[in-house]
Amino acid sequence: MPRQLGELEDAVMTRVWQWNRAVTVREVLEDLQRERSIAYTTVMTVLDNLHQKGWVRREVEGRAYRYTAVSTRAAYSAALMNEAWAQSDNPAAALVAFFGMMSPGQREALDDAVRIVQRGNPAASAVPPPAAAPAESAEPAVPAASGESAEPAEGDEGNAESGR
C-alpha cells in the first residue's frame, strides 16, 4: 500500500500524470513556479525521491533525466481508498458514512463504476490490487510504501541534471 504523497510530491506527480509523457525537471520547475517560488534543486530532489519510491521511472536524455509515471492517478486514488476502507473495524459502516458524504455527482459516478465492474469491463480490472506483489522484472503499478526503489540505483542525479 502506498503512503499518501506529500504536498510537494503530489504537486509534482499531478503534472506528470496530467501531461502523460516524459518530463524534465526544468519543465516541472517552470510550471510550479507559476504558483510558488521553488528552486530547481528542490524539484530535482522531489523527482529523485519519487523515483526511489517507485512512483516514476527515468531515462537519461543528454545530460538530464526524463521522468514518466509508473502508475495512474486513478490507481493511486483507488489504492488509498482501499487501504482506508480495509483499516476500518466496521467496513460496512465506513462505506455507509463515505456514501453519505458523497455529492449527487459522486454517487452517479459510483453507480457508473459499479455498472462497469458488473459488466466485466476489462479496463476495470486493469487496476491491480495494492497488496499484489510485482514481478521482479516489472515495475509496480502502485509503489510500495517501504521507500525502496523498484529499480537499481543509477548514477548521481546531480550530475545528470546539472548544466540544464
Side-chain angles (χ1 to χ4, degrees):
M1 169 59 206
R3 78 167 177 47
Q4 188 169 358
L5 295 171
E7 187 263 330
L8 189 51
E9 289 174 326
D10 186 69
V12 170
M13 282 305 301
T14 293
R15 281 146 181 88
V16 176
W17 282 320
Q18 285 176 344
W19 296 341
N20 197 28
R21 62 174 173 78
V23 301
T24 64
V25 171
R26 176 84 43 212
E27 290 172 312
V28 175
L29 170 73
E30 289 172 358
D31 199 61
L32 283 171
Q33 284 180 329
R34 294 178 185 158
E35 300 170 0
R36 64 178 82 191
S37 176
I38 190 166
Y40 180 93
T41 54
T42 301
V43 177
M44 181 177 66
T45 299
V46 169
L47 277 163
D48 184 55
N49 290 343
L50 289 167
H51 173 257
Q52 295 302 319
K53 292 176 181 181
W55 286 104
V56 294
R57 67 178 59 92
R58 65 184 180 197
E59 293 181 20
V60 175
E61 182 177 286
R63 294 178 54 153
Y65 285 117
R66 286 201 164 271
Y67 295 87
T68 55
V70 168
S71 183
T72 64
R73 163 81 76 184
Y76 166 70
S77 297
L80 290 177
M81 288 187 290
N82 187 55
E83 178 66 15
W85 182 52
Q87 291 191 16
S88 172
D89 60 350
N90 187 341
L95 282 175
V96 169
F98 179 65
F99 295 156
M101 292 180 212
M102 295 175 119
S103 70
Q106 290 170 321
R107 281 192 212 104
E108 188 175 321
L110 176 64
D111 289 341
D112 291 343
V114 168
R115 278 192 293 279
I116 289 168
V117 170
Q118 287 174 337
R119 279 188 237 148
N121 184 333
S125 63
V127 178
E136 279 189 32
S137 62
E139 291 191 322
V142 179
S146 68
E148 293 297 317
S149 173
E151 300 177 32
E154 295 185 25
D156 180 19
E157 174 75 6
N159 289 341
E161 291 292 348
S162 63
R164 287 239 8 164

